[in-house]
Amino acid sequence: MELEYATESKEPKVGIVGLFTNKNYRKPLLISICSHAGQQFSGINAIFFYATEIYGMIWPDDDDAVTYATVGTGAINVAMTIISVFIIEKTGRRPLLVFPYIGTVIFTGIITLSLNLTNQQQDAWAYISLACVYCYVICFAIGPGPIPYILVAELWSQGPRPAAMSVSIQTNWLSNFVIGLTFPILQEAIGAYTFLVYMCFLICTTVFTIFFVPETKNKTFEEIVSQFRKDKDYDQENLELGALEAGQSDGKESVSSPKTE
C-alpha cells in the first residue's frame, strides 16, 4: 500500500484532452467508453417500456395487477443490484459481465419471438414474455448495470481517474439520450423486432468484453494500469522510484519516532 501510494502520489493530474492524446490511455479509455455505451445499448429502457405492454396482455382488465407487476420489475432490479454488491468480490468483474450479457442476448431473442406470437389475449406466449423480462432484468441488474462504474474506477490510476470517470459517465448519458431519441422511431417502424437491434449491440458488447476487458479482482491499481502502458521502461522506473521513496519515508519515521516498549 505504501509503494502504491508513493507511485500514484507523484503522478500528475490528466485532463480529458490528455486521455485522448496519450497512447498509454487508449485501451483503458476504449474499455471505459464501450462498457458504459454497451450498458445503455443493451436495450434495458426498451425492456422496461415493453414490460408494461406485456403485463397488459396478461391482465387486460386489471390495472392494479399491471401496476404491481411493473413495480415488481423495479424491485427485482434493485434486489439483484444489492446481491451483486455481495458476490462481486467472490466471482470477479468479468464473469458478472460476460455471463449476464450472454443471458440478455438469449432472453432478448425469446422476447422478440414471444411478442410476435402473442395474439393480444391471455396467450401462453405472453407469460413466456413475462418470464423473459424478469430474467433479462435479473441478468442486467447483477452485472451490466452496476459493474461498469466499478470497473472504470479500477482501470485508472490516480492521475487520469477523474477525467476517465467523467468521460465514461458522459458516454453513458449520451447513449441514454440516443436510445430515448431512437426507440420510438424503431418501435413505430419495426415493432417488437426493435429488440433484434439491441440484441446485435448485446452480442458486440459480449464479444468485446470477452476479448478486451481484464479482470481487476485482487489486483492493485499499479498491476492493472501497468498492463496498458506502452512505455515499460517508464513503468519500471516509476516502480523503483516509488519503492525508494517508500523506503526513505519508513527510514524517516523510524528515526523521528521514539521506540516504545
Side-chain angles (χ1 to χ4, degrees):
M1 292 176 64
E2 291 175 346
L3 172 60
E4 187 176 57
Y5 173 76
T7 303
E8 290 199 3
S9 62
K10 61 183 176 56
E11 186 172 344
K13 296 294 181 182
V14 178
I16 292 178
V17 175
L19 290 179
F20 291 92
T21 56
N22 191 320
K23 63 181 180 180
N24 293 322
Y25 299 149
R26 290 172 185 170
K27 188 174 180 179
L29 183 61
L30 178 64
I31 294 172
S32 300
I33 290 175
C34 289
S35 296
H36 277 272
Q39 181 204 74
Q40 289 297 325
F41 280 96
S42 65
I44 183 64
N45 289 325
I47 288 289
F48 279 125
F49 176 86
Y50 260 107
T52 303
E53 184 174 323
I54 293 170
Y55 303 152
M57 294 177 186
I58 300 174
W59 301 288
D61 301 320
D62 193 341
D63 292 339
D64 289 339
V66 173
T67 301
Y68 293 142
T70 303
V71 173
T73 305
I76 291 175
N77 191 16
V78 174
M80 295 310 299
T81 303
I82 295 173
I83 292 175
S84 176
V85 172
F86 291 99
I87 67 175
I88 184 173
E89 291 303 329
K90 295 182 179 180
T91 61
R93 283 62 165 156
R94 273 174 54 86
L96 281 184
L97 284 175
V98 174
F99 293 110
Y101 267 132
I102 293 174
T104 56
V105 171
I106 295 172
F107 293 124
T108 301
I110 299 176
I111 289 172
T112 302
L113 177 64
S114 60
L115 284 177
N116 282 282
L117 293 177
T118 301
N119 60 8
Q120 300 298 326
Q121 297 177 358
Q122 291 191 11
D123 194 288
W125 281 105
Y127 288 95
I128 294 176
S129 298
L130 174 64
C132 287
V133 166
Y134 283 153
C135 291
Y136 178 98
V137 172
I138 289 172
C139 289
F140 178 86
I142 203 170
I147 299 299
Y149 294 95
I150 300 172
L151 181 67
V152 172
E154 293 179 338
L155 286 178
W156 298 88
S157 59
Q158 183 173 310
R161 188 179 298 132
M165 290 293 294
S166 176
V167 170
S168 300
I169 294 174
Q170 288 179 45
T171 300
N172 191 294
W173 281 105
L174 178 61
S175 301
N176 192 0
F177 172 75
V178 172
I179 293 298
L181 197 65
T182 58
F183 173 70
I185 300 173
L186 289 173
Q187 185 200 12
E188 185 176 352
I190 57 178
Y193 291 106
T194 301
F195 289 111
L196 294 181
V197 177
Y198 298 126
M199 188 168 69
C200 292
F201 284 113
L202 282 168
I203 293 173
C204 292
T205 304
T206 303
V207 173
F208 179 86
T209 302
I210 292 173
F211 287 100
F212 293 101
V213 176
E215 179 57 72
T216 58
K217 176 187 174 184
N218 294 332
K219 293 183 180 180
T220 65
F221 286 116
E222 187 58 41
E223 290 173 334
I224 297 168
V225 172
S226 63
Q227 62 186 312
F228 298 125
R229 287 179 178 153
K230 305 294 184 181
D231 191 347
K232 298 300 181 182
D233 293 336
Y234 172 80
D235 192 33
Q236 183 62 30
E237 181 183 345
N238 273 351
L239 284 173
E240 293 174 353
L241 182 58
L244 178 61
E245 291 179 353
Q248 291 175 346
S249 176
D250 289 342
K252 290 179 181 179
E253 290 179 2
S254 61
V255 172
S256 59
S257 302
K259 186 181 293 186
T260 57
E261 297 295 337

